[in-house]
């Protein structure tokens, strides 16, 4: 059997199953009507995302399996990965209206603001 020698200083690995947990990179934007949270979770499918809001905290969790498994695998750097991150959410968010979408490894969470904190346009009569 021929082996491939890695010369780039990559760590030696085995074929055993193991996973790493990482905090996904996140951008948070605020508009007049909502907060928008965008998290990178490459390789994670929507069925593998667990998004929970409890006691003022929003927790993101997603899992992706190892890229390759089984016989013939001689070196592994693409491990199974768990993405996890928790955020404290202000009372200004309408928790019952939180929505999310997963597309191309990017999780987008919409956190609508409650009506009381949205800017109000005041009409000036003259």
């Amino acid at each position: 059997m021929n082996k491939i020698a890695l010369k780039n200083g990559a760590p030696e690995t085995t074929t055993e199953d193991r996973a790493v947990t990482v905090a996904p990179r996140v951008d948070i934007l605020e508009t007049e009507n909502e907060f928008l949270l965008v998290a990178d979770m490459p390789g994670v499918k929507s069925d593998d995302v667990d998004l929970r809001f409890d006691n003022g905290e929003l927790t993101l969790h997603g899992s992706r399996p190892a890229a390759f498994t089984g016989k013939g695998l001689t070196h592994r750097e693409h491990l199974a990965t768990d993405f996890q991150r928790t955020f404290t959410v202000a009372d200004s968010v309408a928790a019952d209206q939180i929505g999310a979408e997963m597309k191309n490894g990017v999780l987008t969470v919409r956190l609508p603001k409650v009506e009381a904190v949205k800017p109000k346009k005041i009409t000036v009569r003259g």
Side-chain angles (χ1 to χ4, degrees):
M1 174 189 289
N2 292 333
K3 292 200 174 197
I4 298 172
L6 299 177
K7 297 191 179 217
N8 62 355
E12 188 174 320
T13 60
T14 65
T15 59
E16 69 187 50
D17 288 331
R18 55 188 166 149
V20 295
T21 300
V22 298
R25 294 191 178 267
V26 172
D27 289 335
I28 301 173
L29 299 93
E30 182 178 6
T31 68
E32 287 184 11
N33 298 316
E34 68 182 355
F35 294 96
L36 189 65
L37 185 145
V38 181
D40 285 339
M41 299 170 76
V44 177
K45 297 177 183 166
S46 59
D47 290 344
D48 297 325
V49 175
D50 183 21
L51 184 62
R52 296 179 186 258
F53 182 78
D54 188 34
N55 292 325
E57 289 188 339
L58 179 71
T59 300
L60 319 174
H61 180 264
S63 297
R64 103 169 155 225
F68 302 99
T69 59
K71 278 190 158 183
L73 182 64
T74 61
H75 180 79
R76 174 183 294 172
E77 292 183 9
H78 290 97
L79 303 174
T81 304
D82 287 328
F83 295 90
Q84 184 156 347
R85 193 108 181 241
T86 300
F87 301 89
T88 301
V89 177
D91 292 338
S92 60
V93 169
D96 60 334
Q97 297 176 23
I98 296 172
E101 177 186 30
M102 185 67 154
K103 189 172 183 181
N104 297 325
V106 178
L107 177 66
T108 302
V109 183
R110 294 187 176 281
L111 301 122
K113 293 180 181 179
V114 294
E115 289 297 321
V117 299
K118 290 182 183 178
K120 303 246 186 296
K121 173 81 171 148
I122 300 170
T123 304
V124 178
R125 296 183 294 196

